[in-house]
Amino acid sequence: MKKTAILTSLLLLGTTSLFSQTNQGVITLDEFRLPSKRDIIHIPNVNGFQVLKCDFHMHTVFTDGHVWPNVRVQEAWKEGLDAISITEHMEYQPHKDDVNTDHNRSHDLAVELAKENNLVLIKGTEVTRNTPPGHFNALFITDANKFIDVRDEDKDQESIDRVINDGAFVFWNHPGWKDKQIPGSYEWIPFVEKLYQEKKVHGIEVVNGLGFHSKALDWALDRNLTIIGNTDMHNLIAHSYDLNKEGVHRTMTLIMSKDRSAQGIREALNSGRTVAWSSKYLFGKEEHVKALFDACVALSPVFHKKTNNKGVVTNYYEIKNNSDLYFELVLKAGKGTKKIVLYPGSAQTLTAEANQPSLTYEVVSTYIRSDKHLNVDIRLN
Amino acid sequence: MKKTAILTSLLLLGTTSLFSQTNQGVITLDEFRLPSKRDIIHIPNVNGFQVLKCDFHMHTVFTDGHVWPNVRVQEAWKEGLDAISITEHMEYQPHKDDVNTDHNRSHDLAVELAKENNLVLIKGTEVTRNTPPGHFNALFITDANKFIDVRDEDKDQESIDRVINDGAFVFWNHPGWKDKQIPGSYEWIPFVEKLYQEKKVHGIEVVNGLGFHSKALDWALDRNLTIIGNTDMHNLIAHSYDLNKEGVHRTMTLIMSKDRSAQGIREALNSGRTVAWSSKYLFGKEEHVKALFDACVALSPVFHKKTNNKGVVTNYYEIKNNSDLYFELVLKAGKGTKKIVLYPGSAQTLTAEANQPSLTYEVVSTYIRSDKHLNVDIRLN
Amino acid sequence: MKKTAILTSLLLLGTTSLFSQTNQGVITLDEFRLPSKRDIIHIPNVNGFQVLKCDFHMHTVFTDGHVWPNVRVQEAWKEGLDAISITEHMEYQPHKDDVNTDHNRSHDLAVELAKENNLVLIKGTEVTRNTPPGHFNALFITDANKFIDVRDEDKDQESIDRVINDGAFVFWNHPGWKDKQIPGSYEWIPFVEKLYQEKKVHGIEVVNGLGFHSKALDWALDRNLTIIGNTDMHNLIAHSYDLNKEGVHRTMTLIMSKDRSAQGIREALNSGRTVAWSSKYLFGKEEHVKALFDACVALSPVFHKKTNNKGVVTNYYEIKNNSDLYFELVLKAGKGTKKIVLYPGSAQTLTAEANQPSLTYEVVSTYIRSDKHLNVDIRLN
Amino acid sequence: MKKTAILTSLLLLGTTSLFSQTNQGVITLDEFRLPSKRDIIHIPNVNGFQVLKCDFHMHTVFTDGHVWPNVRVQEAWKEGLDAISITEHMEYQPHKDDVNTDHNRSHDLAVELAKENNLVLIKGTEVTRNTPPGHFNALFITDANKFIDVRDEDKDQESIDRVINDGAFVFWNHPGWKDKQIPGSYEWIPFVEKLYQEKKVHGIEVVNGLGFHSKALDWALDRNLTIIGNTDMHNLIAHSYDLNKEGVHRTMTLIMSKDRSAQGIREALNSGRTVAWSSKYLFGKEEHVKALFDACVALSPVFHKKTNNKGVVTNYYEIKNNSDLYFELVLKAGKGTKKIVLYPGSAQTLTAEANQPSLTYEVVSTYIRSDKHLNVDIRLN
């Protein structure tokens, strides 16, 4: 009698048994299967804006990438991205003996999949000129085949004009990617200056994959260009980023957007409300990096007080990182914990001598200029 | 000139270099060091209550545990617990030849550390009687040494009376832990019935470590006793739970409390607002498990619609788990996704035939009775 | 003076700094990069044969796979495989509007890469007939385009004859993959019986991905057909197997081969010296599974003796698993440790009452028939 | 009929079901349990010597450690160590109000456990003098209580004499651990010089935990003292080392020993056949580090040749790391792969221009002096 009850209970529990039978005698060995899930990258809203996770630079087999377009959607879904753009090279098609050369094709193959996976898919292309001037990404284009006839080497200006006329948002890709022997490969060259003057370049890819183009950050800041970070993925994300380690993520652009839509993203890009996120680092304009920090990090009230033998009172606080970002803080002014590492989704104890209004920390995991970290005042209470 | 600028930038980036010099020539090899951080277990508030993570059963070297009391605080801090109780055996002291036999000592050694680490430390003890009746934990005691003189084998009743008189909250530990050969080891015995009638037992430890005492869940439900889950840790948490795997956590009691205080916890225990959490499973009264589910799981609006060749419209939703709990759902009524696994902090796509008010799922990772899972209606829109 | 010496030492240590400068001011954020390495799957030689790790079933964008052929080489190199075969569908080309339909193409694109990566690449194809009879893989073919004209539905026999005439090793893929509603989908059908009689089918894919076709194991054993396990990978290995968990590997065929060459593999396949390895399980003929076990598992001499209060002496041994395989043992005869789990590259303590010649264990992680595990005698000493 | 067969097979497979019933209705939720196993640290024999993994410096609750002695045995067993020594402070007992002050006690409590777990347990103590001269470990002592009466501050010399007279192997612990303000804290002081002249100090702890005392390495090399690396663990290994990351291990001394015994270890210590291993680094005398490298790393024959358009032939080799050590190589002479990282148990492709006898690499993950890495010639063939 009791035994029966127990067995019932066991069967009930048995729903997630290691082995389950499918069809007729085919037994699944599920234990080694990768769980299928969409990881949520947790970042609170910032000043009322949603923080969208976007990657605007990647390739497929249709130019020189190694995967079918569906894999780009699959990766983005799994990794919790909101928006991607597949940006095939206009001028470079090494697979052309084997693969369709229609320049819209990889985007088109991803459209329905992106819809089914709740991803914003933005039509884009990489204008792949010799260096200098190098490469530019054009987002929000309408038809990639419109630009085919300006692929010749002498048509750098025309190629940009054409995507601009198509209504694109244009950013300069990974300046500095070529050796310094090539003249102009990592300089603010006249060609780009002209584009800038004519408002034909709107942003700079300051981080490409795991490479930070430090001078490019300053160029963007000095000219109020939008700061972008992308993977430029050709291979698999899973073979490039060590995703099995806690906290590892692909490089991306964090967009502070009014809503989760292509329109929202365009408006935010136009307004420059972006922060590039790569490895443990954030790269952006001071106001945006600061707003992100303030949205993510919170200090508790004093939870404990301790007086030492000299009568000095130390206050104890908990400082929490309510996000999946990473912040590393070094004390600059005030008497308190010298160094604080705020890992994703975790807290630390912060101690401070009583009767101070605030402590000043340098957030050394942020860049608001190639040679400058964000400084924050932590208000004590 | 340029080179100088770059080097400055490198030095700036160099703040988290693998090697850093301390003192005079001692070089730290930090890469293999475990990061020191307090993991936040994310669970949203439930009906206005904070969800506190509590473990009310553990031991130290002062009875038969393997660690000094500070390790229990360290573990709890790292793992994001809110409250613990060190519950040494009253009647069992195998280390007595080597270690102080003051029954308050392990608690007392942890008091200041708990304060500094923002943990609620509740004074408790394990009343360790032969089986039957077995063991009982008494929480919120004032002085463990008060109970020494009732340790004799024939004083089961007195031992309980004594902790009750001290104001304790009392729960029966791990019924069923002894072999069935021992009479009464897994039965609702008269001794406990008497305690229950006299309101001297207030809860049952339904889960002890990774053992679920299934009959005990029903006893608790039928008598409105508070449902408890603890580690009963003697050894190290890190040698017992596979914490390096994503989502793995120690067994604990989730307390829906008015605030993060000992008083709040006592009130919630008295009111029975608890859910035990062990492995992937939740164990509790239907209303509490349901409230937890509702607080953690959210469905998006329809983000996509698809019509098949028979004219049937399928709606696409995103279902999100905004918590570090785990939910596994199996469809019971309606036409939609058959099985949904909501891993911690992740989302899945849910599809449903259009024009249905809701889908009914069985949440097979919950137990609201030894033979019953929670059923939930997912409202469609 | 001292300070200088220390700084020199620091610079020396600094060679693997988190950040390193490349080109001109591009700073690499290497910490999140996946290390590039070839994992060695450690399995000792078995009876003088090398144990080669092989996967003979996978697809690329050239039929219905999601990756360019180079990714299959990359995956195999990283995961420590010795040999692979890219086996595109002869009769099924869903990407034909976009991709070259030359049936040799994906193999040809991988040839040079395989050589550079020290992989044995075997030319193969999947003969993709309706079910029944279903699919067959043909390995060691010379020209996949030879078989194009027998793709019509009514040419099942001709399609097999053609690959046989080309010198192929032929195995029946994943019998049982279709629903039981389809007649003959999981039966030993006359078509296959005829092939078997005519020696035109040489093996059976008993494990496909993480699906074990249990009846197929018995068919192979009863007819002395070669036992095969493959991934049948269409997607990415990294999106299908949970490779970040210790011990997880893709499904493969372990080949006991005279050398690491295509010829060696062919000879071993012809001789049936194979074991399929999927999840924690090994599937094969008793003699091969036993030989693998004996090569991998070793018992130490007695390292400790303990006499209990009844005078019974217990001997202590260390039992080591010198391989990356997994073995789970349950005691069947003798007095000793009841259950032993030999994780990859690890050891356990085995205790046995003294004065026994051996203990008999069932190795429950092996299948030498659909309903039978390997039994081993562990000789004591 | 078929169904029955399938169910039998399922039950057979069901032996490792997620849930298993124990006793009477207690259901175990095993999925979150840490597997119990002894990891094998794989290092091949070196010149006929076994490479024993040893940690000669750790504490328990009996002085200022946080665990009972059994935990030290448990940790060592799990992590694959061969020998440990529990080295309580002679002069420092902060737990003395609560814990037995018998100085042999923690060792004695571990003796039987060590035997049962196949660990060599060496009796030791830490002679804990003020700095300077600081601390010394004495191994192979017979009775720790013999040294109690020389604990006074003015008996530095007597305390060393006493352990020497007891037959101890003595090494100087972590020189440089105190701030440089303290005179003599990181210098080769007269007191130690005298010990050295009188052969009363036999080794130096060059690595303590994750701190490398770089000057101490040179002192040891210049005076032919034995090089030691230990954890000096007070807390838990699992809270100090990030063991969940691949390749992470506690700091230890690798001993090249004639056999796996206390005697073998003593002989090897006396002969100085040791290498300290901490984080990714090896520290030792050139001959020993080189012998380790040669035993662990092997180059395959040429497996591929490639001729570029200038007629230059490149040979392809596989370079394997047959150990759990880590080696990082930077090319110093010859034309070949510039940088090679040999992760534990993995291989890399090495390419070299043909017709060279060898390539010279600096193994930058080794230290054969504070400012010098091992150089190795890789013979080509």
Side-chain angles (χ1 to χ4, degrees), chain A residues 279-349:
Chain A
S279 182
K280 295 179 168 174
Y281 297 88
L282 294 167
F283 306 86
K285 287 172 193 153
E286 180 168 9
E287 64 175 299
H288 300 137
V289 176
K290 180 159 191 336
L292 253 184
F293 180 90
D294 289 344
C296 296
V297 177
L299 194 75
S300 76
V302 176
F303 66 75
H304 184 55
K305 284 177 173 290
K306 197 171 170 179
T307 307
N308 71 7
N309 53 18
K310 292 174 187 165
V312 178
V313 178
T314 298
N315 287 341
Y316 285 66
Y317 305 85
E318 192 161 81
I319 182 165
K320 272 196 198 183
N321 177 7
N322 296 307
S323 78
D324 287 329
L325 303 176
Y326 170 97
F327 298 102
E328 194 170 323
L329 287 70
V330 174
L331 185 66
K332 288 292 144 182
K335 293 181 182 171
T337 305
K338 293 265 187 287
K339 186 179 169 178
I340 300 170
V341 182
L342 291 169
Y343 296 91
S346 75
Q348 298 285 3
T349 301

Side-chain angles (χ1 to χ4, degrees), chain A residues 2 6 8-9 12-16 35-42 77 112 114-118 186-187 212 214-215 246 260 281 283 300 303-306 316 318 320-322 326 328 339 341 343-349 362 364 367 369-373, chain B residues 2 6 8-9 12-16 35-42 77 112 114-118 187 212 214-215 246 260 281 283 300 303-306 316 318 320-322 326 328 330 339 341 343-349 362 364 367 369-373:
Chain A
K2 264 171 218 154
I6 290 158
T8 310
S9 156
L12 202 73
L13 278 160
T15 48
T16 38
S36 174
K37 59 170 174 168
R38 176 161 165 76
D39 282 326
I40 299 170
I41 299 174
H42 190 64
W77 183 82
E112 176 65 17
K115 281 183 188 158
E116 291 177 10
N117 285 282
N118 201 15
Y186 198 22
E187 289 166 33
F212 165 38
S214 60
K215 288 201 290 183
E246 203 181 333
R260 195 177 181 281
Y281 297 88
F283 306 86
S300 76
F303 66 75
H304 184 55
K305 284 177 173 290
K306 197 171 170 179
Y316 285 66
E318 192 161 81
K320 272 196 198 183
N321 177 7
N322 296 307
Y326 170 97
E328 194 170 323
K339 186 179 169 178
V341 182
Y343 296 91
S346 75
Q348 298 285 3
T349 301
E362 191 174 1
V364 297
Y367 283 84
R369 195 159 193 94
S370 67
D371 58 356
K372 197 172 170 195
H373 301 307
Chain B
K2 264 169 218 155
I6 291 158
T8 309
S9 156
L12 202 74
L13 278 158
T15 48
T16 39
S36 173
K37 58 170 176 170
R38 177 161 165 76
D39 282 326
I40 300 169
I41 299 174
H42 189 66
W77 182 82
E112 176 64 17
K115 281 183 189 160
E116 291 177 11
N117 285 281
N118 202 14
E187 289 166 31
F212 166 38
S214 59
K215 288 201 290 184
E246 203 181 331
R260 194 177 182 281
Y281 297 89
F283 306 86
S300 76
F303 65 76
H304 184 55
K305 284 177 172 289
K306 198 170 168 180
Y316 285 67
E318 192 162 81
K320 272 197 196 182
N321 178 6
N322 296 308
Y326 169 97
E328 194 171 323
V330 173
K339 185 179 170 177
V341 182
Y343 296 91
S346 75
Q348 298 284 3
T349 301
E362 191 175 1
V364 297
Y367 283 82
R369 196 160 190 92
S370 67
D371 58 355
K372 197 172 169 195
H373 301 306

Side-chain angles (χ1 to χ4, degrees), chain D residues 193-375:
Chain D
E193 174 65 20
K194 182 164 179 286
L195 293 184
Y196 168 67
Q197 292 296 343
E198 296 173 349
K199 301 194 188 316
K200 291 175 179 168
V201 62
H202 313 114
I204 305 187
E205 192 183 60
V206 165
V207 190
N208 177 281
L210 291 166
F212 165 38
H213 299 247
S214 59
K215 287 200 291 184
L217 177 58
D218 298 340
W219 296 341
L221 291 165
D222 291 341
R223 288 164 185 84
N224 201 26
L225 294 169
T226 299
I227 291 163
I228 306 281
N230 295 316
T231 57
D232 195 3
M233 189 48 52
H234 290 67
N235 200 343
L236 321 178
I237 295 284
H239 284 198
S240 306
Y241 293 84
D242 198 359
L243 298 175
N244 59 332
K245 281 205 300 193
E246 202 182 333
V248 171
H249 59 88
R250 69 154 86 180
T251 296
M252 65 185 79
T253 307
L254 302 177
I255 303 255
M256 284 155 271
S257 177
K258 289 172 183 167
D259 57 31
R260 195 177 182 281
S261 71
Q263 295 76 7
I265 289 168
R266 180 67 190 259
E267 188 278 333
L269 285 172
N270 288 345
S271 303
R273 283 198 311 279
T274 65
V275 172
W277 185 34
S278 181
S279 182
K280 295 178 168 176
Y281 297 89
L282 294 168
F283 306 85
K285 288 171 192 153
E286 180 169 9
E287 64 176 298
H288 300 136
V289 176
K290 181 161 190 333
L292 252 185
F293 179 90
D294 288 344
C296 295
V297 177
L299 193 75
S300 75
V302 176
F303 66 74
H304 184 54
K305 282 177 173 290
K306 197 171 169 179
T307 307
N308 73 4
N309 51 18
K310 293 175 187 164
V312 178
V313 178
T314 298
N315 287 340
Y316 284 67
Y317 305 84
E318 192 161 83
I319 182 165
K320 272 195 198 184
N321 177 6
N322 295 308
S323 78
D324 286 328
L325 303 175
Y326 169 97
F327 299 102
E328 193 170 323
L329 287 71
V330 174
L331 186 66
K332 287 292 145 182
K335 294 180 181 171
T337 304
K338 293 266 187 284
K339 186 179 171 179
I340 300 170
V341 182
L342 291 169
Y343 296 91
S346 76
Q348 296 286 3
T349 301
L350 181 156
T351 57
E353 206 177 291
N355 302 317
Q356 298 176 92
S358 69
L359 298 176
T360 304
Y361 283 94
E362 191 174 1
V363 189
V364 297
S365 57
T366 63
Y367 283 82
I368 58 170
R369 195 157 193 95
S370 67
D371 58 357
K372 197 172 169 193
H373 301 306
L374 176 70
N375 275 272

Side-chain angles (χ1 to χ4, degrees), chain C residues 265-299:
Chain C
I265 290 168
R266 180 68 190 257
E267 189 278 332
L269 285 172
N270 288 345
S271 303
R273 284 198 310 278
T274 66
V275 172
W277 186 34
S278 183
S279 182
K280 295 177 169 177
Y281 297 88
L282 294 167
F283 307 86
K285 290 172 189 152
E286 180 168 9
E287 63 176 296
H288 300 137
V289 176
K290 180 161 191 333
L292 252 186
F293 180 89
D294 289 344
C296 296
V297 177
L299 194 75

Side-chain angles (χ1 to χ4, degrees), chain C residues 12-13 16 36-38 40 112 115-116 246 281 303-304 306 318 328 343 345-348 367 371, chain D residues 12-13 16 35-38 40 112 115-116 246 303-304 306 318 328 345-348 367 371 373:
Chain C
L12 203 74
L13 279 160
T16 39
S36 173
K37 60 171 174 168
R38 177 163 164 75
I40 300 170
E112 176 64 17
K115 282 182 188 159
E116 291 177 10
E246 203 181 332
Y281 297 88
F303 66 74
H304 185 55
K306 197 170 168 181
E318 191 162 83
E328 194 170 324
Y343 296 91
S346 75
Q348 297 284 4
Y367 283 82
D371 59 356
Chain D
L12 202 73
L13 278 160
T16 38
S36 173
K37 60 171 174 167
R38 176 162 165 76
I40 300 169
E112 177 64 16
K115 282 182 187 160
E116 291 177 11
E246 202 182 333
F303 66 74
H304 184 54
K306 197 171 169 179
E318 192 161 83
E328 193 170 323
S346 76
Q348 296 286 3
Y367 283 82
D371 58 357
H373 301 306

Side-chain angles (χ1 to χ4, degrees), chain D residues 73-178:
Chain D
V73 172
Q74 204 180 111
E75 291 172 331
W77 183 82
K78 289 167 64 67
E79 298 170 35
L81 266 69
D82 294 289
I84 60 170
S85 183
I86 299 175
T87 52
E88 305 294 5
H89 300 286
M90 286 304 305
E91 294 85 350
Y92 182 56
Q93 291 195 309
H95 295 166
K96 64 178 181 296
D97 292 346
D98 293 300
V99 178
N100 194 333
T101 58
D102 180 330
H103 286 277
N104 291 315
R105 191 64 181 146
S106 59
H107 177 89
D108 291 353
L109 282 165
V111 165
E112 177 64 16
L113 273 173
K115 282 182 187 160
E116 291 177 11
N117 285 281
N118 201 15
L119 286 175
V120 177
L121 182 69
I122 291 166
K123 197 164 196 168
T125 190
E126 183 165 15
V127 182
T128 311
R129 316 307 301 180
N130 289 335
T131 301
H135 306 175
F136 297 81
N137 265 12
L139 306 182
F140 302 99
I141 61 169
T142 62
D143 179 359
N145 289 326
K146 280 191 196 172
F147 319 129
I148 293 175
D149 59 322
V150 290
R151 289 188 297 191
D152 292 350
E153 289 197 9
D154 59 344
K155 298 194 171 162
D156 290 345
Q157 183 66 49
E158 289 87 331
S159 69
I160 299 293
D161 289 344
R162 203 66 74 88
V163 294
I164 287 290
N165 289 340
D166 197 39
F169 179 89
V170 175
F171 56 88
W172 193 12
N173 287 342
H174 48 66
W177 75 297
K178 285 279 191 181

Side-chain angles (χ1 to χ4, degrees), chain B residues 197-217:
Chain B
Q197 293 295 344
E198 296 172 350
K199 301 196 189 312
K200 292 177 179 167
V201 62
H202 314 116
I204 307 187
E205 192 184 58
V206 165
V207 190
N208 176 282
L210 291 166
F212 166 38
H213 299 247
S214 59
K215 288 201 290 184
L217 176 60

